[in-house]
Structure formats: structure tokens, C-alpha cells
Amino acid sequence: MSLCVLLVEDDRELRSTLREALVVEGYRVLAAASLADADCLLTHAETQGGIDLVLLDLGLPDGDGEALLSALRRGRCTAPVIVISARHCDDPKIRLLDAGADDYLVKPFGLGELLARMRVALRHRGTALQPAITRYEHGGLRIDLVAHRVSLAGAEVHLTPTEFKLLARLVRQAGQVVTHRQLLADVWGAEFTEHTHYLRLYMAQLRAKLEAEPADPQRLLTEPGVGYRLAEPAA
Amino acid sequence: MNSAPARWLGAVVWALSWPLMLLLDGHVDLASLAQVLILAAALAGVWLSPIPSMLACAAAVLAFNFFFVPPRGTFTVDVHQHALLLITMLAVSWIVSLLMSRQRQLACAERLHALRAEQLQGLGDTLRDAHDPRDRGAQLQGMLSELVGAPAALLMVVQPSRIANEQPSFIQLGEVDDDERAGLGLTQLQGRAMGPGTGRHEEQAAWYLPLRGRQSSFGAALLRLPALPTDASTVRGHAQALCDQMGLAIERALAAETAAAAREEAQAQNLRNTLLMAISHDYRTPLATIMSSASSLHDQADRLSIEQRRRLAATIVDEADQLARLTANTLQLARLDMPGVVLRRDWESVEEIVGAVVRRVRQRAPAQRVKLRLEPGLPLLYCDAVLLVQMLENLVDNALRYGGEGAPVEVLARRAGDQVLLAVRDRGPGVAPAWRDRIFDVFQRGDAAQALPASADTSAHRGAGVGLAMCRAVARAHGGELRLRARSHGGSSFECALPVVDPPAPEPETAGQERRLPG
């Protein structure tokens, strides 16, 4: 059975364009124009196998996407949520990511970008039920979290414990953005969430060890103002 | 103004003088004894008010006559011998008493004067420091009430009348009846005082004083007079001075409000013009391209080859992308131009910002065209990363577009004193000298189309106006500056200098303390 996507978007044109594009890609699409619609569809979908992925626009006519996210998570729905934000530098996007959304896209975006994000999110959803990702490969970089082993082009790379914790956190969500706050809380502790300068320092050290040209990273990518993203794994 | 303890001191002086005279009696002659009495009169005059002092002197002279002047024990005076002495004593002690009390009055008046001057200055300072002087109305009201010993009332202009016959809006402090309210209104309107001693409405049992500014008056004060003060004109003068302080302060505040409103209005107007110019100039071209491509796809779909359709679609995607960036720039420019804009600053690494820019730009341009030259060990910047990325992306885009076909574009970052310099350089034809200063504010001047040199390719420059204006706004919002420098062997260098702020304390556990992982 095809994967079911809940698309919550209040703009009619964009909604129908996205719906058609996703149907062409083989997804089953439930489209909602408001939070109320989305609630309705969610309840209905429970009985028919549930939702596999949510595309959530911010700033809906009857409230903010945040309400839906918390409702979803309360109902123990593990479907990944991708936030679609029209606002370039607004905090709600980051708040949603911190609150458990899986990724974000800023309008306007290309279809290719959307499909790539959806693929990554769906892959992670699979692993949410199974054991977490512990291996990562990209070019010559191999990371094995269980064995605490990192190698680049076959040569062992030595990382400090903090560097390793930071890298491991990114590997667990490879391909997806991890916010500054999430990284700081998970690697340093909840009281360090404002200490962004730690992150800058350790990311620079990691890039120096793992990237051919640290100023032009291919793996440890920066999402300005939001966080970091480890490039999608590739053999 | 004599207080009780002071009067008591006068009595003590008199009381002490008598034992002294009795003690000296018999050892000195009568004239010397009289000096003691005169001395006592002078001393007591310092504290006693004139009438009691003169009465005390008279009593003392009589007693002196009785006790010391022969024949003792009687008020009889030997006319030839002692009458002159007694009369002189009385006269001298009275004169001394009078002089003393006059002196005291003068000192008293001086002290009052100083106090009032201080009060006036204090009020002036308070009003100057106050954000809105009308908030300090209660203070003035208190001062005025104290001055006349009865509750005073104040009327202060909040919003002056802008057109004739419009009532200005007021705030009122203190209770007034209808007549008093009317009197206050009239006083404010005419800017002239009423009440006893003012020559206008002398019969009133109150003073109505205007709060005068330079141009007109900005309120009025009501000082009820339970009894007319003895020095009425001085008291009224002081009250008027206090009121004028408030009047001037309100005038200043109103002028500042008007100026701020005018500035905001002008800024908003300027912004609207900028955006309208941007939209009319920059948006029409990509929109026209999208429109023609899309309508071609829509109307001629059956007659187009697959290749042609794909090309049209690609054009639409490209132009829409261009339009999206243009919109982002325009919105950002509008946001940065707004008064009181707040940046989302954090500690950011130059390397990461440049890296993010290059990654984005390479999605649209061949990778090898963009070269990076970053000085190692650059300090962290305290900045809004989203804005800086947008700025550099615009600069790199411009360089790729106008910097010569296929020529490399260089992104450079280095430290220069207490600044970090971010530069985007190309080897293109450069910018004409006449344009170098104006290229950043094309739309601010509203003469973009006319100002373009005849040789310039207008279609190639579209979007640069808003983009560069936005870039400069970003640099300035960060306390930095964006400049265009012509390179010595041709080409342009857009250079953004940003101040370096002291970085926060490093992490307490340093990297050196961490043990290495077992290999």
C-alpha cells in the first residue's frame, strides 16, 4: 500500500499543485486547508492505517501549526513532520523543530527539494521503530557509533569525546536539520542551550578533521540561523 | 518668622544680663553698667521680633532706673544727672533692636529666595529628565499647593489643537468646579494670569496662572487663596516661574513628538517609494518572462516539441527563482529600514557563513567559478547569520552575473584591525566611477532608469538595485559598512567591514583535558 501524506496548507493553488505532484510520485495525499480539517482527517485516518508523513504549513487561518504538532505528539503519532514556512527568519520554525518537527522547507521551494526531504524523513521514521542508525557512510567517511570508530579514506580519525558526541548526534538524524538548541542540550546539557559559540568551535574542529576543505564543507552542512545538517548518507 | 526656641533665647539673654549687672554693681560706675544693658538689648534683638524686643528694652530701662539709678528703689530721676543717660539707653537699645530685626527679615527673605530658586531649578531638572513632563504634573501641583497653603489644580495640554476651533485635549490634576474649569481654559487660551494683583479679575479668591511656553501656553494652574499672602507679588512671581517651567517642558515634549512623527512619516514615505520603484522596475521583467513562457505552454502545448516545452518550463523555474530572491531582498530591505528593527544575533563563524553561501550559489553556477580565500583563525562574529548569508549571496550572484562571462569570483575573509573584512571580487568590466557611490542607493533616489549610463545593459542590471541596497542595509545594521572598490587590474571588489566584538568565555573544560579515544 502506498504511503499516506497529510498536507496541511491553506493556499489553494499551492495545495492542489503539491497534491498532484505527490500523487504522481506515488503517495496517497490527504489535503487539509486548516487545523480543523487536519484534525478531522487525522481522526479518520487512524482507522485506515494512519498517516506516514505530515507536511505542515505555519500560520493557518485557525491557528498556528504548533498546535497540530503538539496534538500529534500527544496522540503518540510518530509520523515525521516537515514544516513549510513562508517566513524567512522567523522563530516559529525553530520552535517547531525544537518541539519535535523533523525538518523544514522555506517557501518558495522546488519539488525536488521537497521530495528529497520527504525521503530522508520517511527513512528516519522506519528507524524510529527499529534500532537507531549507528552507521554512516559518505564518500570516504565511515562512522560506526557502536564501535566508536571514525575513518576517512581508510585512515582512522581521532576525535575527542565531545567531538564524537556531536558527530554521533548528527549521525542519528543524518540528512535532517538538528537545531543549535538540540545539539547543545544533547551534547553539553540543558543549561548550555545558549552557548552557541561552543558549537562553532567544535564544528570547526570536526570539519578540520573530516572535510577536505573546511570552508566548503560537503558533509557537515550549516543551516544559517537554524542549526546543522549532516549530508544524506551515500555509499 | 521667629520660632519659639529663638524667642526663648532672647529671654535667656535678658535673664542673664540682670545677675551680671547686680554682680558688677558697686565695682563699676553707672555708665559702664548701662553698657551691659545695651549689650543685652542688642543680643536679645537677634532673636526677638521688633515689638517684644522694644517692650523688653523699655522695661529693662525702667528697671535699671529703679535698681541702679540713685536714688535707688524709686523711679525718680535726677534730671540733670541721669535723664540723658536713661533716654540714650532707651533710644540706643530700640535702634539696635530695630536694626537687628530688619537684618533678620532680610536674611529670612534671602533664605526663602534661595529655597525657591532651588525648587525652580529642581523642577526644571525633573522635567528635563522626564520622558513626558506631564507625568510630573503632580509634583508641580504639590509645590503650588504648598506655596499658597491650599490645594491647587492643574490643566495640561496633551494634544494641541491643530486646526482652528478644535479643542485641544487636556489632562487635569485636582478637583475644580465648572467656573474654575472655565477660568483655567480661558487662562490657557489667553496665556495671561487672572486674580488678585494681576490687573484682571481682581475679585477672584484665586490665582489663575498660565503654563507659558515660547509660542503659546500649554495649560493653566489654579491657586486657591484662603488668605492673600503678605508678599503676594513675590509668591505669585514664584508660582508663575514654576508654571512656566512646566509650560516650556510641555512645549519641548510636543515639539519632539511632532518631529518624531514627521520623521517616521518621511521614512515610511521614503520606504514606500523605494518599494514601489523596486517593484515597478525589477519585478516586471521576470514576471513578463514567466507570463510569456507559461502562456506559451498553456496555449501552444500541442504544437510544441518536448524539448521546447522543457526549455519553457526551465525558464519559468529560473525566473521564478529570481523573483523569489528579489522578493526576499525587498522584504529584508523593508524590514531593515523600519525603525527599531531587532536582529537575531548570535555567535557565528565566518567560515560557516561563507560555506553556506558558496553551497547555495553553486546550485546555480559551475563550482569552479567561485573561489574561497579565508584567513585561518578568524574570530567569531556576533551577527545575524541569515542576514549575512543573504548579503553575501547577493554579492556573489551579482559578481557571477556582471563579472564577465565565466570569469572566476573570489570570496575573501580576513581580519583587519578590530574588524573582519568580507569581500566579493570579480574581474569584470567594473563599475563606472560616476556610479560607484550611487550603486547602493539606486532606488532611494528614484532616478534609477534615467541615471543608468547609456552603455549600461539595463536588463542585465535588474535586481541589483534592491539587492545592493539590502546588502548595505545589512552591513549597517551590524554596525559595519559596505563599500565598492575598483581593483587595480580591472574588476570590482565589494567589501563589507564588520566590527569584532569580544567573544564570550571559552568552554571551561578545554579540549586539551579530553582524553583521546582508544584507537
Side-chain angles (χ1 to χ4, degrees):
Chain A
M1 195 168 137
S2 59
L3 291 167
C4 180
V5 175
L6 173 63
L7 169 65
V8 190
E9 162 65 61
D10 61 332
D11 184 77
R12 196 161 51 90
E13 298 303 327
L14 187 57
R15 193 170 61 238
S16 68
T17 310
L18 284 180
R19 186 222 286 269
E20 277 176 37
L22 291 178
V23 167
V24 168
E25 292 295 319
Y27 292 102
R28 201 153 56 81
V29 181
L30 302 173
S34 64
L35 288 182
D37 283 2
D39 267 341
C40 229
L41 287 172
L42 271 175
T43 331
H44 188 64
E46 297 273 300
T47 57
Q48 305 182 0
I51 301 278
D52 297 295
L53 186 136
V54 180
L55 295 175
L56 179 58
D57 183 25
L58 291 180
L60 294 159
D62 54 348
D64 220 305
E66 252 174 308
L68 185 67
L69 180 69
S70 52
L72 272 173
R73 293 299 182 239
R74 262 203 312 278
R76 282 194 294 279
C77 172
T78 53
V81 174
I82 298 179
V83 174
I84 300 173
S85 142
R87 289 165 285 195
H88 235 290
C89 48
D90 260 0
D91 294 330
K93 175 174 78 193
I94 298 168
R95 262 210 316 279
L96 252 75
L97 288 171
D98 283 337
D102 295 77
D103 215 329
Y104 75 102
L105 273 171
V106 176
K107 283 188 210 169
F109 50 82
L111 186 69
E113 220 176 335
L114 173 65
L115 293 175
R117 293 288 158 81
M118 286 173 63
R119 270 198 305 276
V120 174
L122 287 168
R123 192 164 57 237
H124 279 284
R125 172 184 151 269
T127 57
L129 310 172
Q130 296 150 21
I133 294 179
T134 56
R135 283 167 185 278
Y136 175 87
E137 281 198 38
H138 186 283
L141 176 67
R142 283 158 177 267
I143 302 170
D144 186 336
L145 296 187
V146 178
H148 267 233
R149 208 178 278 270
V150 178
S151 67
L152 189 60
E156 192 85 24
V157 180
H158 293 286
L159 298 181
T160 66
T162 308
E163 285 167 3
F164 188 82
K165 269 166 90 178
L166 182 57
L167 185 64
R169 179 65 186 81
L170 289 167
V171 166
R172 272 183 224 116
Q173 229 173 307
Q176 289 184 313
V177 68
V178 188
T179 64
H180 296 139
R181 182 175 277 270
Q182 287 170 338
L183 285 172
L184 285 162
D186 292 351
V187 176
W188 280 273
E191 66 271 35
F192 291 99
T193 49
E194 302 299 321
H195 292 50
T196 330
H197 55 287
Y198 291 7
L199 265 184
R200 307 294 177 214
L201 186 74
Y202 280 92
M203 284 307 290
Q205 290 177 13
L206 272 180
R207 285 197 178 112
K209 291 180 183 179
L210 303 180
E211 296 279 3
E213 196 185 337
D216 186 12
Q218 304 302 311
R219 301 173 182 117
L220 296 159
L221 310 177
T222 311
E223 296 280 329
V226 180
Y228 295 94
R229 185 193 297 276
L230 188 65
E232 259 192 88
Chain B
M1 288 287 279
N2 254 338
S3 54
R7 240 174 276 143
W8 172 77
L9 269 172
V12 166
V13 169
W14 277 122
L16 285 176
S17 68
W18 283 101
L20 185 65
M21 283 190 278
L22 288 171
L23 208 68
L24 290 173
D25 184 27
H27 300 286
V28 298
D29 63 7
L30 197 61
S32 306
L33 215 52
Q35 299 300 321
V36 176
L37 189 140
I38 290 173
L39 179 67
L43 269 177
V46 173
W47 293 290
L48 292 178
S49 44
I51 305 294
S53 182
M54 287 167 77
L55 285 177
C57 289
V61 170
L62 277 179
F64 187 82
N65 181 14
F66 187 84
F67 287 114
F68 299 119
V69 178
R72 297 190 179 210
T74 68
F75 289 108
T76 325
V77 176
D78 182 345
V79 176
H80 299 292
Q81 288 226 338
H82 303 299
L84 187 64
L85 175 70
L86 288 179
I87 290 169
T88 315
M89 275 174 72
L90 189 62
V92 170
S93 59
W94 276 5
I95 290 170
V96 167
S97 292
L98 281 174
L99 282 176
M100 278 308 189
S101 78
R102 173 88 190 122
Q103 189 58 41
R104 207 174 46 237
Q105 271 176 4
L106 281 177
C108 214
E110 191 60 40
R111 212 165 42 238
L112 195 62
H113 190 70
L115 263 174
R116 285 181 180 166
E118 202 176 305
Q119 191 181 40
L120 204 56
Q121 193 186 353
L123 179 66
D125 290 346
T126 312
L127 291 175
R128 213 175 5 264
D129 296 342
H131 173 64
D132 184 346
R134 283 155 294 208
D135 296 345
R136 306 295 155 95
Q139 196 176 343
L140 174 63
Q141 190 193 11
M143 287 178 179
L144 295 176
S145 306
E146 197 189 339
L147 197 61
V148 291
L154 270 186
L155 196 66
M156 294 180 291
V157 171
V158 174
Q159 175 78 58
S161 49
R162 280 157 301 184
I163 48 170
N165 298 331
E166 188 198 32
Q167 268 294 319
S169 58
F170 291 110
I171 50 172
Q172 183 186 319
L173 291 180
E175 292 297 314
V176 294
D177 62 29
D178 288 350
D179 286 348
E180 289 170 331
R181 178 70 177 74
L184 283 172
L186 191 68
T187 309
Q188 186 270 324
L189 198 64
Q190 298 181 332
R192 291 168 65 190
M194 296 194 297
T198 60
R200 302 172 71 241
H201 300 277
E202 294 274 348
E203 75 290 353
Q204 293 281 349
W207 282 325
Y208 290 86
L209 304 177
L211 310 183
R212 293 181 298 197
R214 268 178 241 287
Q215 307 291 332
S216 60
S217 62
F218 295 89
L222 169 69
L223 283 79
R224 299 189 183 91
L225 302 168
L228 202 60
T230 41
D231 48 347
S233 70
T234 328
V235 173
R236 186 161 50 81
H238 180 59
Q240 183 63 65
L242 288 173
C243 289
D244 290 350
Q245 286 273 22
M246 177 59 86
L248 282 169
I250 295 177
E251 185 174 45
R252 262 200 311 274
L254 287 175
E257 279 168 26
T258 315
R263 222 171 16 246
E264 256 170 52
E265 175 62 24
Q267 204 168 355
Q269 185 67 39
N270 194 15
L271 186 61
R272 271 197 297 277
N273 290 344
T274 305
L275 295 184
L276 281 176
M277 286 299 293
I279 289 167
S280 66
H281 182 263
D282 285 1
Y283 281 60
R284 271 198 297 219
T285 325
L287 269 179
T289 315
I290 292 172
M291 188 63 162
S292 61
S293 308
S295 55
S296 167
L297 272 177
H298 183 262
D299 300 340
Q300 310 169 322
D302 317 336
R303 285 171 283 152
L304 295 173
S305 70
I306 290 196
E307 184 50 37
Q308 279 172 315
R309 270 183 271 173
R310 197 167 283 155
R311 251 204 325 271
L312 285 173
T315 306
I316 294 175
V317 170
D318 284 350
E319 291 296 303
D321 192 42
Q322 164 81 0
L323 210 51
R325 262 174 304 139
L326 198 56
T327 309
N329 286 344
T330 313
L331 289 178
Q332 201 63 265
L333 180 62
R335 194 172 79 89
L336 289 172
D337 262 1
M338 252 168 357
V341 58
V342 181
L343 303 185
R344 274 192 49 218
R345 287 181 184 233
D346 206 339
W347 292 101
E348 303 287 352
S349 128
V350 177
E351 203 173 66
E352 289 186 356
I353 287 174
V354 171
V357 170
V358 169
R359 189 172 172 78
R360 286 192 196 185
V361 171
R362 281 188 183 156
Q363 293 170 357
R364 304 190 286 269
Q368 62 278 12
R369 273 196 72 188
V370 184
K371 303 246 181 301
L372 289 179
R373 274 181 50 194
L374 301 190
E375 194 178 85
L378 284 171
L380 293 182
L381 291 178
Y382 191 61
C383 63
D384 187 325
V386 175
L387 287 183
L388 281 195
V389 165
Q390 202 177 348
M391 176 188 80
L392 285 175
E393 195 181 345
N394 267 283
L395 293 177
V396 174
D397 261 343
N398 280 351
L400 287 172
R401 204 168 314 149
Y402 313 128
E405 200 66 39
V409 168
E410 197 175 75
V411 180
L412 174 146
R414 66 180 169 81
R415 177 132 195 187
D418 53 357
Q419 290 184 318
V420 164
L421 195 75
L422 302 172
V424 176
R425 303 158 145 195
D426 64 48
R427 284 288 180 200
V431 176
W435 259 82
R436 267 172 220 155
D437 293 332
R438 306 169 57 185
I439 195 162
F440 295 106
D441 51 10
V442 183
F443 288 102
Q444 309 291 7
R445 298 181 179 226
D447 56 358
Q450 298 93 312
L452 276 173
S455 60
D457 177 0
T458 30
S459 72
H461 276 81
R462 70 191 153 87
V466 175
L468 285 176
M470 192 280 300
C471 289
R472 177 167 268 189
V474 168
R476 289 184 174 169
H478 283 90
E481 185 53 278
L482 178 65
R483 289 188 191 84
L484 167 60
R485 201 171 55 76
R487 301 178 71 185
S488 48
H489 297 290
S492 304
S493 174
F494 284 89
E495 302 182 346
C496 171
L498 294 174
V500 173
V501 191
D502 278 337
E507 189 182 4
E509 68 153 61
T510 57
Q513 286 170 321
E514 295 191 8
R515 76 194 151 74
R516 285 192 152 188
L517 285 171

